[in-house]
């Protein structure tokens, strides 16, 4: 039983807010406020960051981060040269990374696997090095909100463009632009099957079109079109009978906009699905792009959430998006998710209300919502301080930043993040990775997190070299070592327990080395929090 | 295990902490007793398996017309009305031995067709109630407290604790037994996280479950799911006190091109069935105390959709396997597939609440008296008689 209470106790340690949160010390110290900001609108402090932000002023730093376009990030841009695919359009990616034939195993890294490695690599490099930290946090947030699974068929080659073109440009923009961009991106159309959704009458329509074409005079174009239609009919006979597919319609409402309790019905799901019929992919092998196919569209009248939508072809989907993003449930759902990410697992209702009303007043302006959160009393409260458990991605990136290291984004780092429970771009469910502590706290995951800190401090992650001698040499006293590690990783805010344990290692036969001191601090309960 | 030895050498503190952990010796003594302990293994088919493709109601006249392209052509007959999907051929002998049972038209009474909500409800064990924070398996652990339990009483093979096992009772979650340890400085981390946190690590080191290879020619799939089942078997054989295990297998959300006797769904079923049959073979006589149950959030729509797949539905099928199961039967009242028999005109109607099924297992197999605390607010409606 002692063992069982031990595990339970360890979990409680991670789950509970830090001790001082309960002691009624309402105000954070200046140092804690700066650390809090660096941990929340970025991936934790690098050496010197705390002083830099103090000098600049907290408000100025927040305002700067809210305008990433004004921040010079050329150093990070240069690092991204290792990932050529992120600057390619779909046609180039298809040409270079999609092999014409299956490649036999054992012939090196498969080009599509390489594509994933570049995608994961750029995410890690940017999170570690970019000066536009908040922008990176938001790209991570929105990708996860509009999650797609890299491993699903065509999405292996489309996920790169999805993040670069549908998510990244809108990370601090208008929410509606994100919904529209994701709705029309071939990666989403494929992932949630809308590309396949068609009016049950499509077969008849296709036949009619074929007959009509056959009556037209001969031309090479006519022959081409006839061939294409025959091919489609052939496919339809092979099990692809036309009909609606509800997958995207449901997740659009449940996960992207209104939330599961937002007040829609199964009938609404079907109506939305009908409105989006014809939003599909022009699946030329060379470059899959969004296309509206009138022949697949169900032109009948739809009623979505009590609103009538007439026969407007492709515009019907746009009308649905309009209705959804203006719905009060969407304002609330998005506000709640943002507040959960930035403030607390249990989002304070007062703040959610205010952020939801900013959403409504500003037409879903993400920057304005963030400003409302980052200047709120709830955000800077003792209850919020170190209240969030870092995701494995956040833990890895903040560890590297704390040690002042950089990474080339090589596959070993992404593997380490996956081992801790977060395979980047490979969350299969449309929900994305959860943003709650309970999800990341398990005994196995805790051990993996500890092992990550050890591997990093010991310089055993290829592509992510660290140089601890910058901070302390082997002869440094235990007190100095503990203080250095605590300053760098924890903004100096280290618990007595952790300090004692680290300093106590001096008495062990191996003594306390810089590697050991940093391993222990990176593996400490307080570093698991942000 | 990675560097426990290294660590013992390098830290006197750790050596001391290992030496003063007497409970492990107590536990070793328990191993004998553990052999007779009941074990429950829950396998979650995440994404909602198409129940009527897994266990096919081929005798229902409305089955084939609803699925022109995706009906199963050659189901393996079970009882003259239902048949197993041919990709589940590895399970057929177990059914014939009377150790595999099916409960059809079963699932959650809640109407949601959201994966997330429906999984949540089946795992919390309280459909429709969003205020239940713990999972039904964790509640079981508390309803039947065990003073001699080891840290391995409840184990999930997943990087994170699944909802079914969330709650105050201690649970171990891991991906691989071999990774369950700290590479160096374990003693210091133990001190930081509360002294005996890592007792589970010590227990594993003593028991060395990885020494137990598959027996009786059992071949587990190489997938994470297959390897999880293999490791569950290793923990059972190593006698570390395992009572409740959880693992999962994904890929069931077949909205498009699910296939029929062959194809996408068949591939998933093949892996699924091979994992279960490998476990059954591997454990041999030990299976007398083991029950495996399957979970899945809902069934799928009866009519195929426009993409050769199936959209989210309502009732589905659950499987139970193991020595104590009165198998060789398909349980549950069949509601029929005629349009007026369908739930909301499109899905399989529900005739057995999943809580009826799980309650019997918890009571008859695990021996928990007060099942109403495991499934709060629920009184079992039907006694199926799945176990003696």
């Amino acid at each position: 039983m002692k063992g069982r209470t031990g595990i339970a106790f360890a979990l409680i340690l991670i789950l509970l807010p830090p001790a001082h949160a309960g002691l009624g010390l309402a105000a954070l110290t200046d140092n804690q406020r700066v650390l809090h900001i660096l941990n929340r609108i970025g991936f934790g402090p690098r050496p010197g960051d705390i002083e830099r932000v103090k000098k600049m002023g907290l408000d100025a730093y927040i305002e700067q981060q809210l305008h990433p376009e004004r921040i010079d990030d050329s150093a990070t841009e240069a690092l991204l040269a290792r990932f050529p695919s992120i600057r390619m359009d779909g046609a180039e990616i298809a040409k270079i990374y999609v092999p014409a034939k299956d490649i036999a195993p054992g012939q090196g890294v498969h080009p599509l696997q390489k594509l994933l490695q570049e995608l994961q690599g750029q995410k890690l490099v940017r999170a570690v090095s970019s000066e536009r930290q908040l922008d990176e946090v938001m790209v991570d947030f929105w990708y996860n909100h509009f999650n797609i699974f890299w491993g699903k068929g065509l999405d292996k080659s489309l996920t790169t463009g999805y993040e670069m073109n549908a998510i990244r440009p809108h990370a601090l923009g208008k929410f509606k632009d994100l919904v529209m961009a994701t709705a029309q991106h071939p990666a989403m159309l494929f992932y949630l099957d809308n590309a396949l959704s068609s009016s049950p009458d499509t077969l008849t329509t296709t036949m009619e079109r074929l007959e009509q074409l056959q009556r037209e005079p001969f031309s090479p174009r006519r022959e081409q079109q006839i061939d294409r239609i025959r091919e489609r009919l052939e496919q339809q006979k092979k099990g692809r009978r036309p009909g609606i597919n509800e997958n995207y319609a449901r997740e659009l409402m449940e996960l992207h906009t209104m939330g599961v309790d937002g007040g829609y019905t199964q009938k609404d799901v079907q109506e939305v699905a009908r409105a989006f019929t014809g939003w599909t992919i022009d699946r030329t092998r060379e470059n899959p792009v969004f296309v509206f196919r009138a022949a697949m569209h169900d032109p009948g009248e739809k009623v979505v959430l009590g609103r009538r939508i007439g026969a407007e072809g492709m515009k019907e989907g746009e009308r649905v998006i309009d209705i959804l993003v203006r719905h009060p449930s969407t304002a609330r759902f998005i506000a709640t998710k943002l507040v959960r990410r930035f403030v607390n697992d249990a989002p304070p209702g007062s703040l959610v209300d205010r952020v939801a009303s900013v959403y409504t007043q500003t037409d879903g302006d993400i920057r304005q919502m963030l400003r409302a959160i980052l200047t709120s009393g709830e955000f800077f409260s003792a209850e919020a301080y170190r209240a969030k458990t870092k995701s494995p991605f956040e833990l890895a990136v903040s560890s590297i930043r704390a040690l002042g290291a950089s990474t080339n984004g090589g596959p070993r780092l992404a593997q380490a993040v996956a081992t801790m429970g977060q395979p980047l771009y490979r969350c299969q469910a449309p929900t994305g990775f959860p943003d709650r502590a309970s999800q990341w706290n398990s005994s196995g995951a805790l051990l993996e997190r500890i092992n990550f800190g050890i591997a990093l401090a010991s310089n055993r992650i290829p592509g992510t070299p660290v140089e601890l001698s910058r901070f302390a040499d082997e002869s440094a006293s235990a007190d100095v070592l503990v203080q250095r590690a605590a300053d760098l990783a924890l903004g100096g805010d280290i618990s007595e327990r952790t300090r004692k344990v680290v300093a106590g290692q001096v008495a062990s036969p191996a003594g306390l080395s810089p590697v050991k001191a940093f391993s222990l601090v990176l593996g400490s309960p307080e570093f698991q929090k942000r | 295990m990675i560097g426990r030895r290294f660590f013992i050498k390098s830290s006197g503190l750790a050596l001391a902490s290992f030496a003063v952990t007497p409970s492990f010796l107590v536990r070793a003594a328990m191993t004998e007793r553990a052999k007779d302990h009941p074990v429950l293994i829950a396998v979650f088919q995440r994404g909602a398996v198409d129940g009527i493709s897994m266990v096919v109601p081929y005798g229902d006249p409305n089955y084939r017309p609803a699925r022109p392209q995706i009906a199963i052509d050659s189901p393996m007959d079970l009882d003259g009305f239902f048949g197993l999907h041919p990709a589940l051929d590895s399970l057929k002998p177990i059914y014939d031995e009377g150790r595999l049972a099916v409960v059809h038209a079963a699932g959650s009474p809640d109407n949601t067709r959201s994966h997330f909500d429906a999984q949540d409800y089946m795992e919390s064990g309280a459909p429709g109630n969003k205020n239940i924070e713990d999972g039904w398996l964790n509640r079981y652990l508390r309803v039947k407290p065990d003073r001699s339990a080891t840290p391995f009483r409840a184990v999930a093979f997943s990087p994170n604790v699944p909802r079914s096992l969330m709650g105050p009772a201690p649970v171990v979650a891991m991906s691989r037994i071999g990774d369950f340890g700290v590479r160096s400085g374990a003693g210091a981390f133990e001190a930081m996280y509360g002294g005996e946190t890592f007792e589970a690590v010590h227990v594993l080191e003593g028991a060395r479950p990885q020494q137990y290879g598959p027996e009786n020619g059992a071949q587990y799939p190489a997938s994470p799911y297959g390897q999880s089942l293999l490791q569950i078997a290793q923990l059972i054989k190593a006698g570390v006190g395992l009572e409740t295990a959880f693992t999962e297998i994904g890929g069931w959300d077949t909205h498009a091109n699910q296939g029929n006797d062959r194809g996408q769904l068949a591939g998933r079923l093949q892996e699924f069935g091979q994992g279960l049959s490998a476990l059954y073979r591997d454990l041999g006589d030990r299976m007398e105390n083991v029950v495996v149950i399957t979970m899945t959030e809902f069934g799928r729509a009866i009519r195929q959709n426009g993409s050769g797949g199936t959209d989210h539905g309502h009732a589905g099928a659950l499987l139970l396997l193991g020595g104590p199961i009165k198998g060789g039967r398909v349980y549950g009242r069949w509601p029929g597939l005629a349009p007026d028999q369908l739930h909301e005109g499109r899905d399989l109607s529900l005739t057995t609440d999943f809580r009826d099924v799980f309650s019997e297992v918890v009571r008859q197999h695990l021996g928990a008296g007060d099942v109403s605390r495991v499934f709060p607010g629920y009184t079992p409606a039907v006694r199926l008689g799945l176990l003696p």
Side-chain angles (χ1 to χ4, degrees):
Chain A
M1 267 83 3
K2 279 180 103 182
R4 298 191 315 153
T5 37
I7 291 178
F9 183 58
L11 294 182
I12 287 164
L13 266 186
I14 308 187
L15 284 164
L16 284 182
H20 52 259
L23 297 179
L25 303 178
L28 300 180
T29 65
D30 283 351
N31 204 65
Q32 287 175 330
R33 288 164 68 92
V34 172
L35 180 65
H36 189 56
I37 270 289
L38 288 166
N39 272 331
R40 296 293 173 96
I41 70 173
F43 295 95
R46 283 173 305 185
D49 276 359
I50 292 183
E51 294 69 30
R52 194 163 64 87
V53 173
K54 269 187 192 163
K55 209 166 150 192
M56 182 175 181
L58 211 50
D59 295 342
Y61 182 70
I62 294 172
E63 208 44 47
Q64 184 201 52
Q65 286 296 313
L66 283 170
H67 293 279
E69 69 284 359
R70 299 179 193 164
I71 305 171
D72 172 39
D73 210 20
S74 43
T76 305
E77 291 298 315
L79 294 175
L80 297 177
R82 289 175 44 88
F83 315 111
S85 54
I86 65 174
R87 310 225 189 279
M88 291 179 190
D89 64 19
E92 282 175 283
I93 286 182
K95 200 170 135 200
I96 297 172
Y97 293 91
V98 183
K101 283 187 289 191
D102 278 350
I103 295 181
Q107 298 193 344
V109 182
H110 190 282
L112 285 169
Q113 196 64 32
K114 179 80 177 49
L115 193 60
L116 173 65
Q117 288 175 359
E118 289 190 21
L119 183 59
Q120 294 172 328
Q122 61 87 30
K123 183 181 174 76
L124 288 157
V125 164
R126 284 172 142 141
V128 168
S129 296
S130 176
E131 300 296 332
R132 301 167 179 173
Q133 285 278 291
L134 178 57
D135 202 28
E136 292 309 317
V137 168
M138 292 313 292
V139 171
D140 179 55
F141 176 85
W142 290 124
Y143 180 91
N144 198 55
H145 180 83
F146 296 98
N147 184 53
I148 62 171
F149 172 47
W150 178 86
K152 180 171 174 176
L154 204 55
D155 279 332
K156 287 189 170 78
S157 60
L158 295 178
T159 304
T160 302
Y162 179 74
E163 175 163 307
M164 302 313 143
N165 305 319
I167 302 287
R168 186 165 279 281
H170 309 293
L172 287 163
K174 293 273 190 188
F175 178 68
K176 186 187 163 183
D177 294 338
L178 276 165
V179 180
M180 192 64 84
T182 52
Q184 294 192 339
H185 199 282
M188 180 62 83
L189 290 162
F190 186 79
Y191 174 58
L192 289 179
D193 302 315
N194 202 75
L196 301 166
S197 188
S198 65
S199 159
D201 301 326
T202 302
L203 195 57
T204 346
T205 325
T206 318
M207 295 289 281
E208 280 165 11
R209 176 82 186 122
L210 184 63
E211 281 161 22
Q212 186 195 339
L213 276 169
Q214 282 166 341
R215 284 194 295 269
E216 282 175 18
F218 174 86
S219 75
R221 189 161 167 272
R222 187 197 81 152
E223 292 309 295
Q224 249 184 2
Q225 284 178 331
I226 288 178
D227 279 355
R228 208 179 297 156
I229 286 175
R230 284 208 170 114
E231 200 179 302
R232 205 180 307 155
L233 283 171
E234 210 41 53
Q235 275 194 344
Q236 285 167 356
K237 280 181 200 146
K238 276 192 292 189
R240 295 190 172 193
R241 307 221 317 167
I244 66 167
N245 188 312
E246 296 167 6
N247 203 10
Y248 176 68
R250 179 182 307 283
E251 306 307 5
L252 173 65
M253 288 196 276
E254 174 181 334
L255 300 174
H256 299 171
T257 60
M258 297 173 68
V260 70
D261 300 319
Y264 58 87
T265 63
Q266 170 61 25
K267 181 76 181 152
D268 287 320
V269 172
Q270 285 162 335
E271 296 287 280
V272 168
R274 289 176 58 225
F276 277 105
T277 47
W279 287 45
T280 186
I281 308 170
D282 197 5
R283 281 185 63 177
T284 55
R285 213 193 133 69
E286 301 78 48
N287 184 16
V289 289
F290 169 73
V291 69
F292 176 74
R293 285 200 204 287
M296 288 171 76
H297 186 68
D298 175 343
E301 184 183 86
K302 290 110 196 161
V303 179
V304 173
L305 297 161
R307 307 267 295 270
R308 236 165 256 289
I309 295 176
E312 294 180 76
M314 175 176 154
K315 284 219 158 23
E316 293 172 24
E318 296 173 10
R319 292 254 291 131
V320 167
I321 289 178
D322 256 332
I323 293 170
L324 294 181
V325 298
R326 289 198 185 142
H327 197 279
S329 296
T330 302
R332 233 195 133 67
F333 183 62
I334 298 305
T336 306
K337 262 191 109 162
L338 281 170
V339 174
R340 182 178 296 123
R341 170 78 173 221
F342 282 93
V343 182
N344 214 322
D345 281 6
S350 52
L351 184 57
V352 171
D353 288 345
R354 298 203 307 277
V355 175
S357 77
V358 172
Y359 177 101
T360 310
Q361 285 156 19
T362 63
D363 224 359
D365 188 302
I366 297 162
R367 196 188 324 261
Q368 302 279 12
M369 288 189 278
L370 288 177
R371 190 176 281 121
I373 294 170
L374 301 177
T375 55
S376 70
E378 290 90 338
F379 177 77
F380 281 113
S381 68
E383 286 71 31
Y385 182 68
R386 282 187 182 162
K388 293 285 295 181
T389 294
K390 291 174 184 174
S391 69
F393 172 64
E394 290 165 341
L395 178 74
V397 173
S398 63
S399 302
I400 298 166
R401 286 175 62 84
L403 302 187
S406 62
T407 180
N408 68 8
R412 292 289 291 276
L413 182 57
Q415 262 166 32
V417 176
T419 306
M420 290 188 278
Q422 195 179 10
L424 300 174
Y425 302 101
R426 304 207 65 170
C427 173
Q428 194 166 354
T431 44
F433 293 111
D435 187 21
R436 284 192 179 85
S438 55
Q439 199 60 36
W440 304 122
N441 292 332
S442 76
S443 41
L446 173 62
L447 296 171
E448 294 297 355
R449 281 166 175 257
I450 288 172
N451 286 331
F452 174 80
I454 296 170
L456 180 68
S458 317
N459 219 346
R460 282 206 311 261
I461 300 181
T464 311
V466 300
E467 205 186 316
L468 297 182
S469 57
R470 282 171 59 191
F471 309 117
D473 58 42
E474 295 288 333
S475 64
S477 74
D479 288 345
V480 168
L481 270 180
V482 178
Q483 196 55 50
R484 291 298 296 167
D487 284 346
L488 288 163
L490 300 168
D493 197 359
I494 184 173
S495 72
E496 265 322 296
R497 187 190 185 99
T498 302
R499 185 186 292 277
K500 261 196 189 141
V501 169
V502 183
Q505 291 299 302
V506 185
S508 75
L512 182 63
S513 62
V515 169
K516 204 166 186 180
F518 278 92
S519 299
L520 289 170
V521 170
L522 295 180
S524 69
E526 50 266 51
F527 194 72
Q528 308 309 308
K529 302 289 208 163
R530 61 169 170 89
Chain B
M1 186 64 35
I2 316 141
R4 173 79 193 165
R5 311 264 169 270
F6 154 77
F7 159 62
I8 290 175
K9 263 190 266 165
S10 68
S11 157
L13 209 129
L15 193 57
S17 109
F18 191 65
V20 297
T21 307
S23 42
F24 175 63
L25 297 174
V26 179
R27 289 190 177 120
M30 271 187 46
T31 328
E32 278 310 302
R33 202 178 61 123
K35 279 186 183 145
D36 304 323
H37 268 199
V39 176
L40 172 66
I41 303 170
V43 177
F44 206 116
Q45 295 176 287
R46 289 203 195 276
V49 65
D50 183 28
I52 66 168
S53 286
M54 187 166 73
V55 181
V56 185
Y58 71 87
D60 192 307
N62 292 297
Y63 168 66
R64 294 200 70 91
R67 301 185 151 205
Q69 273 76 29
I70 61 165
I72 307 306
D73 290 324
S74 323
M76 292 176 296
D77 180 51
L78 295 178
D79 61 359
F81 184 85
F82 291 106
L84 273 184
H85 191 291
L88 291 175
D89 55 347
S90 57
L91 295 182
K92 183 64 167 40
I94 307 177
Y95 182 89
D96 294 339
E97 281 170 37
R99 296 286 190 253
L100 170 69
V102 179
V103 186
H104 223 315
S108 164
D110 193 87
N111 250 349
T112 183
R113 289 185 183 86
S114 147
H115 288 296
F116 185 75
D117 269 1
Q119 288 183 17
D120 207 50
Y121 288 154
M122 187 170 275
E123 299 201 75
S124 73
N129 186 343
K130 293 203 167 175
N131 298 317
I132 302 280
E133 291 185 354
D134 48 7
W136 69 272
L137 283 169
N138 197 285
R139 280 197 301 280
Y140 155 72
L141 297 171
R142 279 138 53 215
V143 165
K144 192 170 164 253
D146 181 354
R147 288 171 165 276
S148 58
T150 73
F152 288 94
R153 185 180 180 200
V155 177
F157 275 91
S158 49
N160 306 309
V161 178
R163 178 75 157 92
S164 304
L165 275 165
M166 272 186 193
V171 170
V172 164
M174 62 166 95
S175 303
R176 293 215 321 254
I177 293 174
D179 290 340
F180 197 79
V182 171
R183 289 187 175 83
S184 68
F189 287 110
E190 267 185 80
M192 251 188 239
Y193 283 93
E196 294 196 41
T197 309
F198 296 359
E199 164 140 4
V201 176
H202 302 325
V203 171
L204 270 196
E205 273 169 358
R208 297 196 298 119
Q210 291 136 296
Q211 66 185 295
Y212 302 97
E215 295 168 48
N216 311 317
Q219 288 198 326
Y220 290 92
S223 63
Y225 156 77
Q227 295 306 298
S228 294
L229 289 175
L230 165 64
Q231 293 178 88
I232 288 169
Q234 289 177 325
L235 290 180
I236 291 172
K237 293 176 189 175
V240 294
L242 181 71
E243 184 192 43
T244 332
F246 183 98
T247 188
E248 56 195 32
I249 172 169
W252 306 104
D253 197 15
T254 48
H255 283 279
N257 306 321
Q258 76 177 43
N260 43 31
D261 296 42
R262 290 172 182 206
Q264 192 195 155
L265 179 61
R268 303 309 296 139
L269 287 171
Q270 181 106 24
E271 179 190 335
F272 172 69
Q274 276 177 358
L276 293 180
S277 69
L279 181 89
Y280 185 84
R281 260 170 177 260
D282 182 14
L283 287 178
D285 291 345
R286 295 185 183 86
M287 217 49 215
E288 288 312 309
N289 296 315
V290 177
V291 166
V292 183
I293 59 170
T294 66
M295 303 167 71
T296 197
E297 61 262 42
F298 39 68
R300 307 191 71 85
I302 297 306
R303 281 184 283 276
Q304 70 178 65
N305 68 10
S307 331
T310 45
D311 288 324
H312 302 178
H314 193 52
L318 302 174
L319 307 184
L320 296 98
L321 179 156
I325 296 296
K326 294 202 302 202
R329 269 189 65 186
V330 179
Y331 290 79
R333 184 176 69 75
W334 182 246
L337 296 178
D340 61 328
Q341 294 170 321
L342 296 180
H343 175 75
E344 295 182 354
R346 52 174 270 163
D347 302 331
L348 183 60
S349 296
L350 182 114
T351 58
T352 303
D353 190 305
F354 74 89
R355 289 169 293 186
D356 290 348
V357 179
F358 299 173
S359 292
E360 279 194 26
V361 173
V362 167
R363 195 179 42 232
Q364 308 296 115
H365 178 55
L366 296 176
D370 195 356
V371 174
S372 66
R373 280 169 62 207
V374 179
F375 299 103
Y378 186 69
T379 317
V382 204
R383 175 74 214 274
L384 293 155
L386 290 156
L387 295 101

